[in-house]
Amino acid sequence: MRLPQSLFPFIAAFWSKLAESVAVEQQLRGPKIADWQCALNARPKLLASAAAVKQFGSFHAQTDLTPKGMVPSVGPESLESMLKKGKDFVVVFYAPWCSFSQQLVLNGGVKAPLEKLNMVLKQMKGPPVVKYNIDEHGKAPGWQFQGLPTVILVTGKGVKKQEFPSNPLQLENLAAFALTKGGAVQYGGASLMAMLNFTQLAK
């Protein structure tokens, strides 16, 4: 089946804008931003670029609502309250306009990778997981990070904050990081990969 030649300019324009949106993410990364993160200052340019893509039937930066899932959303007050309680927890800082945040937190809704991690940590009696939308609440005071998503494990009665140093989509490594308190203790439980593979999420 051959496409009408009249469609070619529209197809070319679509891919051009999509490539531009991805390029914006890459260009705005500084030396402290990993290749699986968006820079905090990328929002205006990313949304402007994505809006152009949307005209051709796609939208690189997600702004529409998705199913919320089971991972609780927190704001500055809730986050501060959790610190004061002094119990271990994992917080994921993200933004809906960041494609990498979408992959971890939003894509799939209740079946997103973060939902699977949360379920496995519950089963293994690990720390609870919460998510913090910086687009909604702004950057949380007292938390140091430059890219999104950023996953931070809080231990030591709310005092010690350890950032997960790798791509959080590597769920087995992220689960191990949480269960071992960032490597401070040993983990000798069941295979995390098997747990992640067989975890059943809501339909």
Side-chain angles (χ1 to χ4, degrees):
M1 177 180 177
R2 297 182 61 183
L3 292 174
Q5 289 189 347
S6 59
L7 288 179
F8 291 169
F10 293 97
I11 295 172
F14 167 77
W15 285 112
S16 175
K17 290 297 182 182
L18 185 59
E20 177 186 338
S21 183
V22 174
V24 167
E25 285 182 350
Q26 297 172 340
Q27 292 169 4
L28 291 174
R29 291 192 195 114
K32 295 183 179 180
I33 310 300
D35 59 6
W36 40 265
Q37 288 181 312
C38 299
L40 288 175
N41 64 350
R43 184 181 188 277
K45 290 187 177 181
L46 268 181
L47 289 181
S49 179
V53 175
K54 189 175 184 180
Q55 296 175 3
F56 296 95
S58 181
F59 197 13
H60 183 60
Q62 179 171 320
T63 56
D64 297 330
L65 293 177
T66 58
K68 292 184 179 180
M70 300 301 294
V71 177
S73 295
V74 297
E77 294 81 9
S78 300
L79 204 54
E80 186 64 25
S81 176
M82 293 180 73
L83 287 174
K84 289 180 179 178
K85 288 180 180 178
K87 295 183 179 180
D88 296 354
F89 67 92
V90 174
V91 56
V92 179
F93 294 97
Y94 76 102
W97 49 262
C98 171
S99 62
F100 304 107
S101 291
Q102 294 170 24
Q103 292 173 37
L104 177 66
V105 181
L106 301 176
N107 287 357
V110 295
K111 294 185 178 182
L114 186 63
E115 297 292 330
K116 180 172 284 192
L117 173 74
N118 180 52
M119 186 65 69
V120 166
L121 291 182
K122 280 185 177 180
Q123 294 173 356
M124 305 304 293
K125 301 187 185 304
V129 180
V130 297
K131 57 190 179 184
Y132 184 105
N133 183 347
I134 71 159
D135 213 25
E136 182 178 353
H137 302 291
K139 188 174 179 182
W143 297 79
Q144 302 301 319
F145 57 91
Q146 300 297 322
L148 297 170
T150 289
V151 180
I152 295 180
L153 170 66
V154 179
T155 58
K157 296 184 177 181
V159 175
K160 189 174 183 181
K161 301 174 182 176
Q162 290 178 270
E163 181 176 340
F164 183 62
S166 303
N167 189 333
L169 287 175
Q170 298 170 350
L171 293 182
E172 183 180 15
N173 294 339
L174 180 51
F177 177 79
L179 290 169
T180 63
K181 298 189 177 184
V185 298
Q186 291 187 342
Y187 170 75
S191 166
L192 292 176
M193 182 58 76
M195 291 286 291
L196 289 163
N197 287 339
F198 290 101
T199 294
Q200 297 297 315
L201 298 176
K203 294 183 180 180

